[in-house]
Amino acid sequence: MSESLDGLHPDTKVVAAGRPPRTPDGNLNPSISLSSTNHPGGPIGYGRFGNETWSALESAIEALEHGKTLLFPSGMAAINAIFDLLPIGSVLTASRNGYTGVMNILAARERNGQLEVRYVDVSNTTEVLAALPGTSLLWIESPTNPALEVADLPTIIPAAKSLGIGVAVDNTFATPLLQQPLDMGADLVMQSVTKYLSGHSDILMGSVSTKDEGLFSRLTDIRKFGGAIPGPFEAWLALRGLRTLALRFERAQANAMELAIRLQSHPAVDRVRYPGLPTDPHHATAIKFMAGFGAVLAIDVKGGAAAADKACESSKLVTYATSLGGVESLWERRHRWGSESPTIPVNLVRIAVGIENIEDLWRDIDQALRISQE
Ligand SMILES: *Cc1c(COP(=O)(O)O)cnc(C)c1O
């Protein structure tokens, strides 16, 4: 189906991809396919092997990420499927400040003796390149969650590939609207579809995309026999949400940029982390290849953890909750989770910017930050 979408812009693809064939009285949208088993002779066979509603969403993500795609029931299930590709004892390089869930499973897989991990600052290209020799996989999250560091993907990916090292990219913060790592040579790209792609904070889902037929077939078996499969209704909802991805993301990014600028001079803020700010240490890298800066920013609140907690508890419009990528703005002090990386400051508050009116957001964040200093 995606062949006919070649040449279209991503903001058209999100609307046009994953539609059923045009037949008289055929539906514009895929149906929610509820069947655990299938008549013989077709490509599916059984509900753990495939599903028509998954296929619709998979073909839409394929059109965006430029690689054959498999859905998983969460971003973490997708990431675990990627790590399951690695033989016992593999050595990998990974972002030191990455998503806490990933930091946790990497530590667990290290304790089990399954993997050995070299942690790097992904925004330090020299450090990343020095860590690569002798490893089998480079796991890059960029921009990182929650410190908003940016990896120089067009330099790092080809360098790893020239050493024969596999490259997998967590593209959740950027979305395929801002960067397409498979086109830069990465072997695998993953999404927490839970976030921007579905966009409404109502489902969990993950995806893995690849141009490599061999990897695709191994991942298909990992899903088929591992049994971590998404629900058809969740896949349908995610595709419905994907239709507005480009519009939602455009608005959320514009809000994030404006908030970042205003927060820079807020008396309750020590530091704003957002690659869109010209003064941000990651700006120069981001503008080289990213089509935008995303809709998550982070602030270091003056007065430490207690002040940061107070700010989060004092907002009325912005919701104090974890996660990101939905239409509604959320914020949280990341270290309220005991599992956050020790390299993340205790007063760092991540702001997942939504699509509300900017003045309403500003008024709410400003008043909450003022209360935090009382
Ligand atoms: C949320 C998130 C994940 C995990 O996805 P789930 O859908 O919550 O399992 C992985 N990576 C990043 C960058 C995330 O933000």
Side-chain angles (χ1 to χ4, degrees), residues 14 17-20 27-34 51-58 60-61 71-72 193 197-200 202-205 230-244 248:
V14 296
R19 302 275 183 191
N27 294 334
L28 268 75
N29 294 304
S31 50
I32 304 171
S33 174
L34 296 172
N51 174 279
E52 277 176 43
T53 321
W54 303 350
S55 302
L57 177 58
E58 285 168 345
I61 298 175
L71 296 179
F72 290 85
V193 177
L197 270 50
S198 66
H200 294 75
D202 49 9
I203 60 140
L204 279 97
M205 193 166 297
F233 180 55
E234 283 73 10
W236 184 90
L237 268 180
L239 182 57
R240 191 186 207 275
L242 185 74
R243 301 296 180 213
T244 54
R248 286 185 282 106

Side-chain angles (χ1 to χ4, degrees), residues 41-333:
I44 297 180
Y46 182 58
R48 186 160 26 78
F49 306 166
N51 174 279
E52 277 176 43
T53 321
W54 303 350
S55 302
L57 177 58
E58 285 168 345
S59 71
I61 298 175
E62 171 180 345
L64 294 165
E65 294 279 22
H66 302 164
K68 280 177 81 173
T69 298
L70 289 164
L71 296 179
F72 290 85
S74 65
M76 286 307 301
I79 294 168
N80 275 293
I82 292 174
F83 293 152
D84 283 345
L85 289 165
L86 300 169
I88 301 284
S90 297
V91 184
L92 62 90
T93 308
S95 322
R96 182 180 296 122
N97 282 345
Y99 177 67
T100 52
V102 175
M103 297 295 98
N104 277 282
I105 53 164
L106 286 178
R109 285 176 184 250
E110 272 194 296
R111 282 195 302 275
N112 291 343
Q114 290 177 27
L115 297 178
E116 200 183 300
V117 188
R118 296 179 186 171
Y119 293 100
V120 290
D121 169 357
V122 287
S123 68
N124 182 337
T125 303
T126 315
E127 187 183 330
V128 177
L129 300 186
L132 291 177
T135 62
S136 54
L137 180 78
L138 169 62
W139 171 262
I140 326 181
E141 185 181 311
S142 181
T144 56
N145 180 359
L148 284 309
E149 299 144 328
V150 178
D152 185 350
L153 297 180
T155 303
I156 292 172
I157 295 173
K161 290 317 299 172
S162 73
L163 296 172
I165 296 165
V167 179
V169 178
D170 182 336
N171 206 24
T172 302
F173 269 40
T175 83
L177 298 178
L178 302 190
Q179 62 190 21
Q180 289 148 345
L182 295 181
D183 288 349
M184 300 178 203
D187 301 285
L188 298 161
V189 63
M190 83 49 72
Q191 279 289 333
S192 169
V193 177
T194 312
K195 314 291 172 50
Y196 293 104
L197 270 50
S198 66
H200 294 75
S201 307
D202 49 9
I203 60 140
L204 279 97
M205 193 166 297
S207 68
V208 180
S209 307
T210 180
K211 292 181 194 280
D212 183 316
E213 287 294 337
L215 285 174
F216 183 79
S217 130
R218 287 173 63 203
L219 285 162
T220 301
D221 280 353
I222 286 172
R223 181 176 72 176
K224 193 173 184 174
F225 303 120
I229 56 161
F233 180 55
E234 283 73 10
W236 184 90
L237 268 180
L239 182 57
R240 191 186 207 275
L242 185 74
R243 301 296 180 213
T244 54
L245 171 66
L247 272 178
R248 286 185 282 106
F249 204 64
E250 190 181 317
R251 173 62 172 257
Q253 275 201 120
N255 280 349
M257 186 74 215
E258 185 59 30
L259 286 178
I261 292 168
R262 295 190 191 184
L263 284 164
Q264 267 189 310
S265 52
H266 197 286
V269 175
D270 271 338
R271 175 171 175 192
V272 180
R273 299 163 190 261
Y274 184 63
L277 290 172
T279 49
D280 188 271
H282 305 290
H283 182 72
T285 307
I287 51 167
K288 280 207 286 183
F289 65 96
M290 295 179 75
F293 308 106
V296 180
L297 57 113
I299 52 175
D300 298 5
V301 178
K302 266 201 183 83
D309 280 337
K310 200 164 175 193
C312 294
E313 287 158 7
S314 304
S315 58
K316 299 184 177 79
L317 174 63
V318 177
T319 304
Y320 174 16
T322 196
S323 201
L324 56 113
V327 290
E328 63 290 295
S329 297
L330 310 175
W331 65 350
E332 69 168 342
R333 183 173 75 86

